[in-house]
Amino acid sequence: MFARCRKAWGISLAAVAVAAATSAAAWPVQVVAENAGVDCTEARAGIVRLEGRVTPNVCAFLQRQLAFGRMPTGELPPSGEKALDHPRVAAYLDIFDPAATLWEAGSTPKTDHRVIGAAIGASLNLVPDLRYTGTDVVADGGVVMFGQWNTATVKGRKIAYPQIARNVLGDEGRTIQARRYYDRHVLVRDTLPDAPIGLFEGIADTGRPSTTGPAPVRPTPAELPERLAAWNAGNTDALLRRMGGARLAGPGLAEPLATKAAKRDYLQRLFGKADLELKAGQVAFGKTTTYVEWFGAVTRKQAASAAESPAVPFGIVERFGPDGEWELYFDTLPVLADRQTIDGLFARLAKP
């Protein structure tokens, strides 16, 4: 599906813009869109690949989402609830229903415009030049999986990273429940000398794939319960068996993995460090692309006790693309460190 490699993966909009070091596969040469629903020309122009039925509600959401992504911050927002009066914070809040819930990686869900507004205000103080465009977007009923490519400058370092913004829409196309999927590790990894070593450090292909074969068929709804069970059981064989020769992209990877051995190492590294307790989330089926969300909690295995490592909110989004792409989006920091350590890293990151 892509023409050039995406080198970095990452993070968020409304908690503390963060990034990740994973590669996705690449960018399409031309915009691909299904001829379904309303035209929504302005939004389509800001998205690389748009699939699904674009209803008036979906179109309204896309326009608001993209407007915030390209809007300059200008003067930095004040702290706390005073940030709500800032033009770019107001543009962000216009995406959400007043009673919306927003979940960001590594945190508990945020509810209420005042709380969400204060959070995005803090993010814009950290990365005032945050911008994004739409990459792979699938609309399926009231669910929109919005893939985006973010750019920002953190302490003088330019970063670029992908993110999946998962949204359930209500009236007028405003989001009533949002979840954001990204890996925050690369932000601290390249900035703070004592940041934890990456979860997937050293994993890469060696040699050539034994077989490429045809691109795997995207999973059907009937197959999803078995796939969820495989994630929760740490069943590497079951996950790989379904994907065949698909290239695997995810957090911590400089290039997608093509060999079965490397893909096995990648999954086993995750399952060796983390116990997952996930449930089925939202699914979005497009013409060529499918997104599947798993959401729940993760517990670090390497902790000395449950008190040191309580279960924290955690989720994974899988993207199955038209040319055999298999992409994973999740945050590795809860697997690498406890909440106190992570909070300390970001507190230092926020200092001038």
Side-chain angles (χ1 to χ4, degrees), residues 11-297:
I11 97 148
S12 98
L13 304 177
V16 257
V18 285
T22 72
S23 96
W27 295 81
V29 176
Q30 295 180 334
V31 170
V32 177
E34 291 184 34
N35 186 17
V38 299
D39 184 58
C40 204
T41 303
E42 181 183 352
R44 289 183 186 274
I47 296 170
V48 176
R49 182 186 296 270
L50 175 60
E51 298 184 359
R53 187 167 186 271
V54 181
T55 65
N57 265 14
V58 169
C59 182
F61 164 76
L62 295 177
Q63 289 172 338
R64 295 187 187 103
Q65 183 85 354
L66 290 165
F68 172 79
R70 63 175 175 261
M71 186 177 184
T73 299
E75 184 179 352
L76 292 179
S79 60
E81 290 186 23
K82 294 180 180 179
L84 273 62
D85 296 328
H86 188 276
R88 198 173 186 201
V89 173
Y92 188 73
L93 291 176
D94 192 40
I95 298 170
F96 296 92
D97 182 89
T101 297
L102 168 66
W103 176 79
E104 292 280 352
S107 66
T108 55
K110 298 176 175 65
T111 301
D112 188 280
H113 264 199
R114 293 170 299 176
V115 177
I116 295 173
I120 188 60
S123 294
L124 292 174
N125 272 279
L126 180 63
V127 282
D129 65 340
L130 174 67
R131 299 282 199 283
Y132 62 78
T133 55
T135 54
D136 300 284
V137 180
V138 176
D140 192 345
V143 175
V144 178
M145 294 288 196
F146 189 91
Q148 60 192 68
W149 187 252
N150 301 349
T151 61
T153 304
V154 180
K155 289 186 175 297
R157 182 174 64 90
K158 293 188 180 298
I159 56 175
Y161 47 90
Q163 173 183 314
I164 302 299
R166 169 278 214 194
N167 295 270
V168 177
L169 306 184
D171 294 340
E172 299 179 332
R174 287 187 168 84
T175 296
I176 57 177
Q177 189 191 60
R179 291 177 184 154
R180 306 302 192 223
Y181 292 89
Y182 47 83
D183 182 19
R184 299 176 294 166
H185 176 258
V186 86
L187 187 67
V188 296
R189 181 202 70 186
D190 293 341
T191 309
L192 302 177
D194 58 345
I197 297 172
L199 179 60
F200 303 107
E201 189 74 19
I203 292 180
D205 284 321
T206 55
R208 294 184 178 182
S210 56
T211 178
T212 53
V217 178
R218 292 176 291 154
T220 65
E223 295 175 284
L224 296 182
E226 183 178 349
R227 193 161 187 85
L228 173 59
W231 278 111
N232 282 329
N235 191 335
T236 299
D237 288 337
L239 292 170
L240 291 177
R241 188 183 311 118
R242 181 62 182 77
M243 297 315 299
R247 301 181 304 277
L248 171 60
L253 296 177
E255 299 287 347
L257 302 175
T259 61
K260 186 174 182 179
K263 288 183 282 188
R264 180 181 298 279
D265 288 346
Y266 186 88
L267 293 175
Q268 288 180 339
R269 181 76 62 85
L270 172 63
F271 295 140
K273 299 290 187 180
D275 281 322
L276 305 183
E277 187 176 349
L278 305 175
K279 297 180 180 180
Q282 298 295 334
V283 180
F285 292 92
K287 184 177 181 180
T288 70
T289 300
T290 295
Y291 281 106
V292 180
E293 176 195 35
W294 313 112
F295 184 79

